[in-house]
Structure formats: C-alpha cells, structure tokens
Amino acid sequence: MITLILLIIIYLAFISLGLPDSLLGVTWPAMRLEWGMSLDAAGLVAILTTGSTVLSSFASGHVVKRFGTGKVTFISCMITGMALLGISFSPSYFWLLLLAIPLGLGAGSVDTALNNYVALHFKSHHMSWLHCFWGVGATVGPIIMAQCMLLTDSWRFGYRTIGIIQLILALVLFMSLPLWVKHRKISASSIIEDNQITTEKPIEKNVFKLKGVKYALSTFFFYCAVEFSVGLWGSSFLIHVKNISVETAASWVAMYYGGITIGRFISGFVTFKMSNKQMIRRGQIIAMTGSILLLLPLPHYALMGSLVLIGLGLAPIFPCMIHETPTRFGKNNSQIIIGYQMAFAYIGGAFFPPLFGVLARTVSLTLFPYYLILCIMIMFLSSETLTVHTKSI
C-alpha cells in the first residue's frame, strides 16, 4: 500500500511538473501587450528559466544525497508554486525575469530527483508512464490557462490557478515525507527485475571517469536537440517547404507531440517484453525512418505520418535511458549522473534549435530533414558506443 500511494504521488508530481512548461508561449502575446515589450523579449525569459534548470540539474544530485528525494521534491514544488503565484502578481517584465529563476531551479531539482528515484525503485514501464504523465501536464496547462483567460480576460488568473495547484501538491508532498523513508527501507534490499543490478559499482567522486558517461551525456544532448527542433521548426518546414497551410501544419505538429505522449503510454506495456536497450535502439531507428520520409516527395497526409513516426520513435528513448542509468553506472553514482544527463538534455534543447534557425536563415529551411538525420545519427552512435562501453548489450 505504501508503494502504491507513493507511486500515485510521484505521478501527480510529474503532471504538475509539466503544467507550467508550455504557459509562456500561450500567455506571452497578452503579457507583452500589457507591458509594452517586443515579441522576442520572451527569449530572455526562456534563457533564464532554462539556465536555472540546467544549474539546478547539475547540483541536484548532491542536494538529493544530502536531503533525500522527498524533501527536495517538496521544496522544489513549493518554490515552483510560489514563483507562479509571483508571476501572476508581477507589475512589470523585470519581475517576470526575476521569477523565471526560481521557476527553473524548482523544475530542474524535482525532475532529476524523481527520475532517479523511479529508476532505482520501480520497473521500466513506470518510467515510461511517468514521462507520459508529464505530457499530460504539458497539455493540460494551456487548457487551464485558456479557460481562465476566457473567464477573466486575463493571463494572471491562469498563473494563479496553476500556482495554487502546485502549492496544494507541495502540501501533499509534505504530508507524504514519512512515506519516502518507509518506502526506501522496504525497497532497500530488493533488486529491480528490469535493472538486475547484481554487483554495485563503487562511488566515483568524478563521475566523468566512469566508462561511457560522456556518451550518455551526448545521447541526451542530441535527443533533446531533435525533440525540441521538431517542435520549433516542424511547422515552418511544412508551411514554407511543403506548401501546407498554417492551420494544417499546426495540427500536424500537435500530432507529433501526441505521438510522443501516446508512444510513452504504449512503451510502458512494450517494456514487459523488451529490455531498455532494445527500446532505445528501436526508437532511434523509427525516428530516423520518420526523418528520412520528410525528404521524399510524399503526399501531404504521408507527411503527417512522418511526424507521428518521429514522435513515436522518440517516445521510449528518454525514459528508457534514464531507467538504464543505475545498471550502467551503479546505484551509488546514478543520482549525480542523472542530474548531469538532465542538464545536458536541457542544454541540447535550448541551444541546438536556435542554431538551426540561424542555418535556415543563412542557407535554407530545406536542410531541416538532413539536420534531424545528422542529430539522430550522432545520438544513435553515442548510444551504441555507450552500450559497448558499459557491456549492456
């Protein structure tokens, strides 16, 4: 019963983690008009949020080792909720910039802490479903915001509502703190069937000395480079290169995100039959196939299938890579390494899509499929090299 209750709380925490992630894009048009800011001023907010998340991810392994997953998750959720409430009362753009920092710090800590806890104490299908629930939160967040703006004609009530939801969850997490201690004791002597960690590796002060760590970081970097790039540039490619209408392109990119979310739900069941390594490899091949199809002169409806195929291929890679980390590098090192992996993932997602934007502007948007293929190829080679180095075939 303790395990079930804690698992429900973790799932709720991941839904709440996704809630704020897509709010800025929805609310920025109204925010900038109210404050008289330019369209591109949102970029600085995104940079501060992502930068804070990266710093938090790098430090979270050490913080979690000191205070424990339960306390870190509770404090991070409380910080995030307070930041969202603060944004709802912000009198100017300056306060939005200021509050973007704790918003990013809270998100990075809870993301890393929960990913490592699930990797250590639960089976692979729970990791896939966990990330599926993040997609649910990222989808529900804009819906809540849209309804609040419809009712009040103000973005502030939406941020306030989601901030209150976060603080309610923080209260639940505070009340659940004894459960984390009890569950850790229950599962301390157990071996996760999926991971089969039979010989624990010693603690390594400098985890970069461990074989394969750099390839793991590279895999996460290029995974998020691909995922974020399709989300940012997929619609522009369809409109300007494939001559598809704006409305159709937007709906097809939504189908891409749907492919990731539904794919992770399906992946949870597939992991009963396949190992994490098989899921990662097959996912990369499927994503590569979808990217290659974008090069072909296919009918418009087939292009939608290409984007969905990329989404379905990407779906199992991130959660299965996270879940495989304790097996590859040891339970003693997994918290630090998962923190670094999350940080490199955020860096890849933050910097590579804008870099392609520069390439598209100076050369051509038609390079988009070639860019995706190159990134997926590097990700695939990094992942396969990691597998060889950690003897995890």
Side-chain angles (χ1 to χ4, degrees), residues 9-32:
I9 290 171
I10 291 172
Y11 275 108
L12 290 174
F14 246 74
I15 291 175
S16 80
L17 185 64
L19 284 174
D21 280 7
S22 46
L23 292 185
L24 182 63
V26 176
T27 58
W28 181 244
M31 284 179 165
R32 78 180 191 87

Side-chain angles (χ1 to χ4, degrees), residues 267-278:
S267 294
F269 295 100
V270 180
T271 56
F272 286 104
K273 297 293 184 182
M274 290 186 185
S275 68
N276 287 328
K277 297 170 289 295
Q278 291 172 320

Side-chain angles (χ1 to χ4, degrees), residues 28-344:
W28 181 244
M31 284 179 165
R32 78 180 191 87
L33 287 175
E34 183 176 325
W35 292 330
M37 302 303 299
S38 63
L39 184 65
D40 61 350
L44 183 55
V45 183
I47 288 171
L48 283 173
T49 305
T50 304
S52 301
T53 303
V54 169
L55 290 175
S56 178
S57 298
F58 273 125
S60 62
H62 304 281
V63 174
V64 171
K65 279 194 172 184
R66 175 75 183 273
F67 298 104
T69 303
K71 289 179 182 177
V72 170
T73 304
F74 156 63
I75 293 170
S76 298
C77 193
M78 186 172 66
I79 290 172
T80 303
M82 291 175 69
L84 290 168
L85 276 182
I87 290 172
S88 76
F89 291 103
S90 294
S92 67
Y93 175 72
F94 170 78
W95 285 97
L96 178 61
L97 293 178
L98 200 63
L99 290 163
I101 296 172
L103 189 64
L105 290 174
S109 292
V110 70
D111 202 359
T112 304
L114 291 178
N115 270 300
N116 184 66
Y117 195 86
V118 173
L120 289 175
H121 299 287
F122 295 96
K123 296 179 182 179
S124 183
H125 57 273
H126 286 300
M127 183 66 81
S128 292
W129 291 337
L130 191 73
H131 285 265
C132 172
F133 271 70
W134 173 88
V136 171
T139 304
V140 171
I143 294 173
I144 294 174
M145 179 61 73
Q147 290 302 311
C148 290
M149 291 177 75
L150 192 64
L151 290 172
T152 65
D153 198 30
S154 171
W155 56 268
R156 296 180 182 275
F157 185 60
Y159 268 97
R160 204 164 299 155
T161 301
I162 294 175
I164 290 169
I165 292 172
Q166 295 276 1
L167 291 176
I168 290 171
L169 179 63
L171 179 61
V172 173
L173 287 165
F174 177 75
M175 290 167 36
S176 73
L177 286 178
L179 287 179
W180 295 87
V181 178
K182 290 178 182 178
H183 184 261
R184 195 165 58 248
K185 289 178 180 178
I186 291 171
S187 59
S189 59
S190 65
I191 297 174
I192 303 174
E193 290 180 14
D194 288 299
N195 278 359
Q196 295 296 318
I197 308 172
T198 53
T199 304
E200 179 52 37
K201 296 175 177 62
I203 297 175
E204 178 60 64
K205 289 184 179 180
N206 182 3
V207 294
F208 287 99
K209 291 182 178 179
L210 291 170
K211 260 185 153 184
V213 166
K214 293 176 183 177
Y215 295 107
L217 300 180
S218 174
T219 303
F220 277 90
F221 182 96
F222 283 99
Y223 168 84
C224 275
V226 172
E227 182 187 316
F228 284 50
S229 293
V230 176
L232 183 60
W233 299 111
S235 184
S236 298
F237 173 78
L238 293 175
I239 294 166
H240 298 294
V241 178
K242 297 297 183 179
N243 298 315
I244 291 172
S245 68
V246 174
E247 295 80 9
T248 303
S251 64
W252 286 7
V253 171
M255 291 291 288
Y256 157 72
Y257 282 112
I260 294 177
T261 303
I262 295 169
R264 284 175 177 167
F265 179 73
I266 296 170
S267 294
F269 295 100
V270 180
T271 56
F272 286 104
K273 297 293 184 182
M274 290 186 185
S275 68
N276 287 328
K277 297 170 289 295
Q278 291 172 320
M279 296 288 291
I280 295 164
R281 189 176 291 128
R282 283 163 173 75
Q284 290 166 340
I285 292 170
I286 292 170
M288 176 68 79
T289 303
S291 300
I292 291 171
L293 289 176
L294 290 177
L295 286 171
L296 305 179
L298 299 172
H300 284 180
Y301 65 84
L303 289 173
M304 178 183 68
S306 302
L307 289 177
V308 173
L309 206 58
I310 294 172
L312 289 172
L314 293 178
I317 298 172
F318 197 100
C320 288
M321 281 287 297
I322 290 285
H323 195 264
E324 194 68 11
T325 301
T327 301
R328 286 173 161 158
F329 304 111
K331 292 186 291 184
N332 291 330
N333 300 306
S334 67
Q335 183 68 73
I336 303 295
I337 292 173
I338 286 178
Y340 288 175
Q341 288 175 162
M342 298 300 295
F344 270 79

Side-chain angles (χ1 to χ4, degrees), residues 350-386:
F351 292 104
F352 248 58
L355 282 177
F356 175 75
V358 174
L359 182 65
R361 188 181 72 241
T362 55
V363 184
S364 173
L365 195 57
T366 57
L367 293 176
F368 184 59
Y370 298 98
Y371 160 80
L372 291 181
I373 291 168
L374 178 61
C375 288
I376 294 171
M377 182 62 70
I378 297 172
M379 173 174 58
F380 180 80
L381 292 174
S382 298
S383 176
E384 291 300 305
T385 307
L386 168 64

